[in-house]
Amino acid sequence: PFSFTTLAATFTLAVPTFPADAALGVSKTVLLDWSDAAAGTAPYTYDVEIFSDAGLTTSVYSDAALGVSQEQVPAATLSPSTQYWWVVKSYDASPADGYSSVFTFTTAADLATGLLLTPANSATLQPLSPTFTWNAATGGIGAYSFVVKIYSDALLTTLVHTSASQA
C-alpha cells in the first residue's frame, strides 16, 4: 500500500491591524483590532496589553482570554498626546501561543477648552451688545479659535447670533 504523511499546519499568530503601527491622533478610547489567529487548533483566544514604554515594562492596560479579535480601551485609561506600545498574544486549544510584533500609536491631544468669564451665568439686565470674555484655552496644540453662539432659549434650539474669533 501507498502511504504519506502531511505536515502539521503552522499556527499563525494574530497581527495588530488597528491602529496601524506608528499611528498618530488615535482616540483615547480606541477599539484595538487584530487579525484572527489561524491554522492551529480552534478555539483561539487572545491577550492584549498596552505599555507606556518601548521596553514593554510598564503596562497601562491589559485584558486576557478574549474570544474575539477586538478590544475597546476604557475611558480614563490612556492619556492625551502620549505614545503607547501594544501587543497581542494568541493561543489555540493545543495550546500553542506566541506574541505579535509590537505596534505603537500616539493618542490625540485633548480639545482646547476655555471658560466664559463674563457675563456671568444666568446674569440679568445685560446690555443689548454685551462684551464676552473668557480665560485662556488649555489642553490643545497651536492657535485657538472660539465660536460664540447665542441662543434665545434654555434648550439651545433658537440660535440668534454666531461670532467666531481667534484667541
Side-chain angles (χ1 to χ4, degrees):
F2 183 79
S3 69
F4 63 93
T5 303
T6 60
L7 295 173
T10 302
F11 181 54
T12 304
L13 300 174
V15 176
T17 58
F18 189 85
D21 193 26
L24 301 174
V26 175
S27 168
K28 293 185 299 182
T29 57
V30 63
L31 178 64
L32 299 172
D33 195 10
W34 54 90
S35 66
D36 291 332
T41 306
Y44 305 108
T45 57
Y46 310 95
D47 297 348
V48 63
E49 193 158 12
I50 302 173
F51 299 88
S52 62
D53 64 302
L56 309 181
T57 58
T58 307
S59 177
V60 296
Y61 179 75
S62 65
D63 204 354
L66 301 168
V68 295
S69 58
Q70 291 183 324
E71 175 73 357
Q72 184 82 51
V73 177
T77 301
L78 305 178
S79 298
S81 303
T82 304
Q83 185 174 17
Y84 293 98
W85 291 259
W86 69 291
V87 295
V88 177
K89 187 173 185 179
S90 309
Y91 299 88
D92 74 357
S94 67
D97 65 11
Y99 285 96
S100 68
S101 296
V102 177
F103 274 43
T104 183
F105 65 90
T106 300
T107 51
D110 282 344
L111 295 177
T113 58
L115 176 66
L116 183 64
L117 300 173
T118 62
N121 190 29
S122 299
T124 59
L125 303 173
Q126 296 298 300
L128 291 176
S129 296
T131 299
F132 294 93
T133 58
W134 52 86
N135 67 346
T138 60
I141 297 173
Y144 304 109
S145 63
F146 292 92
V147 176
V148 176
K149 293 184 178 185
I150 301 172
Y151 294 85
S152 63
D153 62 297
L155 297 176
L156 307 179
T157 57
T158 307
L159 179 66
V160 294
H161 181 77
T162 300
S163 178
S165 69
Q166 184 88 20

